[in-house]
Amino acid sequence: MPLLGIDVGTSSLKVVIASESGEILGEGVSEYPVSRPCSGWTEQDPELWWGALVLAVPQALAAASLRASDIRAVGLSGQMHGSVLLSRATVESRGVQGATIRPALLWNDQRTASQCERIESVVGGRRALVELVGNAALTGFTLPKLLWVREHEPELAARIASFMLPKDYIGFRLTGVCATDVGDASGTLLLDPEARAWSDRVLGLFGVEREILPSLHESGEVIGVITRWAAEQLGLNPDTPVIAGSGDNQAGAIGAGIVGTGQVLATLGTSGVIYAHADRPRRDAGETRSSTGRLHTMCAADGTKSQPGSWSLTGCMLSAAGSLQWARDTIAPGVPFDRLIDEASSVEPCARGLLFMPHLAGERCPYPDPAARGAWIGLTARHTRAHLIRAVIEGITMTMAQILDIVRGAGVEVRSVRLGGGGARSRFWRELQADLYGVPVATTNTEQGPAFGAAMLAGVGIGVWPDVASAASVCVHESERIEPEPVRAQRYSPAREAFAGLHAGLQDTFRSLGDIDRESQA
Ligand code: ADP
């Protein structure tokens, strides 16, 4: 019973066809550009995503040696937070027309700093906002984007008949229905994650009309069926069910089998993400502004029509394996990562008293500080390239471990951590993660991420499996498990202690260095 999962990424759209035993039968991918009309702005025309889907589906079918009519259900996932704005005419076309009012502002668009400040102050501060919607106001989130369009493009804002997220646009073109899921909606600042419903309070405070919001669903719920028009475009069967799915982080967690108490996914890609399953909507609400909203409280993608799902806590460091990539390109150009990591593993833990702060692109978690910068601290003439690289890998992992500690501090149990991203390819780095996280770590058989999670949700939606946990037990298996090694872990304790105090001590210096940097460019 082939299931099709779609992931609307930032640089490409991926399609996966999976069997009911979780085997990948075929994949397709089609790329598109991000436009940057001004510094800090990132936009994409949603029609590019549809065009990419039309190219990627036949690729996946050909790779799987399947006919389009073999596909039983379609699941959606994609980049979160983007603002897709549809006019009345487009909504009324039921997906046949795809023109949007303006290009979507993407998750990494930075233009909304003043809207974010206003949102927190109107609501009564960051902590009050976290209590209401589970999240601080970050420039990437969707409500600030809506406010920006209203302020700067009022004539366009007046034409908004429907607002939705990137993967929902694909759902709209497939089914003609304006719908989203509670997980992706958690990234809008408009959803009360505890109630799994739009927040009347926030809608009222910011004058967002309920009529423009998509209908809300659990991730494993059918939102509609493929229309005759969409079926002709893609060669799929009309009336094939389309399942709500979720944002890429939540769908990726399903694809990695993060569906139960104590389970966490740590992804060391360009950025580093800790995603923890939570049985209750736990919030990161500390005593001070800087210890509030470092983590995101979101609905998890494990709900079905008959059973509401649970929640997640997510923390993101901006430059994780990206820091290693920078270090490699700068001090060891052309050296393969495997060789570089062998070199680093040949020197002693804590790199002879050398620490590395990996905040090369500012930081979001564990310190929400856009002015944070990177640093090697403790250099001596005895340090070699191997020490520098070892310190980079340790600094990234210590930062991920700090995020995990914030998750624990918010009351979420951490029993084991599954590993993803490029960093998980190295045995040395997997062992280091076990030691610094203090729990067993494991890799899994699934590497397809969100698109695979979306295919699993498609199966749940049509009853291939009764729920998401059953889907995960069939489709996702641990391929290697590493226990932490207490004696080895102990050797890092003094360095971790020193590392924990670095940011507070250097915060002002980072700000001054940023000023110097800007002045020198002026
Ligand atoms: P992206 O976020 O761009 O999808 P990936 O998850 O593919 O990134 O991770 C790429 C990063 O993983 C590289 O920048 C590098 O730091 C790291 N990496 C790549 N290969 C290895 C390896 N064999 N061992 C450890 N780390 C690796």
Side-chain angles (χ1 to χ4, degrees):
M1 199 175 279
L3 304 161
L4 187 99
I6 299 170
D7 176 26
V8 185
T10 311
S11 54
S12 64
L13 180 141
K14 298 191 189 70
V15 163
V16 159
I17 301 175
S19 73
E20 59 194 282
S21 58
E23 192 192 342
I24 303 294
L25 304 174
E27 293 176 74
V29 61
S30 178
E31 295 184 358
Y32 34 71
V34 173
S35 66
R36 301 178 196 277
C38 284
S39 163
W41 295 20
T42 54
E43 300 187 350
Q44 240 158 15
D45 179 352
E47 289 194 277
L48 289 175
W49 305 329
W50 179 257
L53 182 70
V54 170
L55 294 175
V57 167
Q59 284 175 29
L61 288 166
S65 304
L66 288 171
R67 285 166 306 160
S69 56
D70 294 325
I71 299 299
R72 286 286 164 265
V74 177
L76 306 171
S77 76
Q79 47 171 308
M80 295 180 70
H81 313 299
S83 57
V84 180
L85 306 175
L86 306 188
S87 67
R88 172 88 29 226
T90 299
V91 172
E92 285 174 356
S93 79
R94 295 195 30 89
V96 175
Q97 286 175 30
T100 53
I101 289 174
R102 71 174 325 292
L105 279 61
L106 302 188
W107 60 274
N108 49 359
D109 191 292
Q110 296 297 332
R111 79 185 73 176
T112 63
S114 73
Q115 286 74 22
C116 289
E117 269 177 39
R118 204 171 77 233
I119 290 169
E120 292 197 352
S121 95
V122 166
V123 167
R126 177 170 289 184
R127 196 184 162 109
L129 186 66
V130 169
E131 292 296 340
L132 273 178
V133 298
N135 290 285
L138 299 181
T139 45
F141 279 49
T142 332
L143 172 60
K145 295 177 166 48
L146 276 179
L147 300 185
W148 186 92
V149 174
R150 272 208 219 140
E151 258 170 60
H152 295 267
E153 300 172 341
E155 66 299 344
L156 296 185
R159 293 177 47 217
I160 300 172
S162 179
F163 136 82
M164 58 183 61
L165 297 159
K167 72 162 194 335
D168 306 325
Y169 174 81
I170 294 295
F172 168 70
R173 305 286 321 258
L174 288 170
T175 66
V177 174
C178 298
T180 193
D181 77 291
V182 287
D184 217 0
S186 305
T188 61
L189 297 181
L190 294 169
L191 188 95
D192 172 351
E194 189 153 355
R196 306 177 91 81
W198 299 115
S199 164
D200 286 328
R201 174 102 202 283
V202 177
L203 297 185
L205 283 173
F206 297 99
V208 177
E209 307 87 355
R210 204 166 252 277
E211 306 84 76
I212 72 165
L213 299 176
S215 62
L216 261 184
H217 301 264
E218 290 290 339
S219 299
E221 232 183 295
V222 175
I223 58 160
V225 295
I226 294 185
T227 61
R228 191 153 294 281
W229 174 83
E232 276 166 18
Q233 301 292 306
L234 294 167
L236 298 176
N237 268 352
D239 298 330
T240 306
V242 176
I243 283 73
S246 200
D248 48 11
N249 278 329
Q250 288 99 325
I254 299 297
I258 305 301
V259 293
T261 306
Q263 293 184 328
V264 174
L265 178 64
T267 307
L268 281 175
T270 301
S271 61
V273 180
I274 295 280
Y275 175 105
H277 174 97
D279 294 329
R280 293 179 24 212
R282 302 284 187 177
R283 288 176 170 78
D284 178 34
E287 293 302 315
T288 60
R289 191 168 185 277
S290 63
S291 63
T292 298
R294 295 160 297 181
L295 304 176
H296 310 305
T297 305
M298 301 210 168
C299 295
D302 56 353
T304 60
K305 193 167 176 49
S306 55
Q307 181 72 43
S310 51
W311 291 267
S312 65
L313 261 190
T314 315
C316 175
M317 63 179 286
L318 295 178
S319 187
S323 293
L324 179 64
Q325 167 113 31
W326 166 81
R328 194 271 304 263
D329 294 350
T330 310
I331 61 174
V335 178
F337 285 113
D338 284 340
R339 233 183 66 214
L340 202 59
I341 291 174
D342 278 350
E343 197 178 301
S345 67
S346 69
V347 299
E348 48 284 84
C350 308
R352 290 195 142 190
L354 186 63
L355 298 173
F356 178 78
M357 300 178 77
H359 317 302
L360 301 185
E363 198 50 280
R364 191 185 289 178
C365 194
Y367 329 105
D369 179 6
R373 295 168 81 96
W376 270 290
I377 313 267
L379 279 167
T380 69
R382 288 178 324 204
H383 285 118
T384 64
R385 183 173 85 176
H387 294 99
L388 294 176
I389 296 294
R390 181 156 189 140
V392 168
I393 295 169
E394 291 180 356
I396 297 163
T397 320
M398 286 181 196
T399 308
M400 291 287 277
Q402 286 178 322
I403 301 175
L404 201 59
D405 284 341
I406 300 176
V407 166
R408 291 183 174 108
V412 171
E413 193 183 344
V414 179
R415 289 185 199 160
S416 63
V417 175
R418 288 189 172 172
L419 305 180
R425 282 181 220 141
S426 145
R427 167 92 195 179
F428 167 73
W429 210 344
R430 295 195 296 274
E431 282 178 359
L432 183 65
Q433 289 188 81
D435 291 343
L436 298 193
Y437 300 163
V439 289
V441 301
T443 46
T444 60
N445 60 320
T446 57
E447 279 179 11
Q448 276 70 17
F452 183 67
M456 286 167 62
L457 290 167
V460 172
I462 58 164
V464 172
W465 306 285
D467 52 36
V468 174
S470 311
S473 71
V474 172
C475 299
V476 190
H477 310 287
E478 290 190 355
S479 40
E480 179 208 61
R481 197 173 175 89
I482 301 176
E483 299 289 330
E485 171 49 79
V487 176
R488 222 171 35 202
Q490 190 56 37
R491 297 184 66 182
Y492 293 101
S493 293
R496 289 178 77 176
E497 216 165 285
F499 185 79
L502 286 181
H503 176 259
L506 285 168
Q507 215 168 351
D508 293 341
T509 310
F510 285 150
R511 206 146 291 132
S512 309
L513 294 174
D515 291 342
I516 294 170
D517 189 351
R518 271 184 297 279
E519 275 159 29
S520 66
Q521 281 177 36

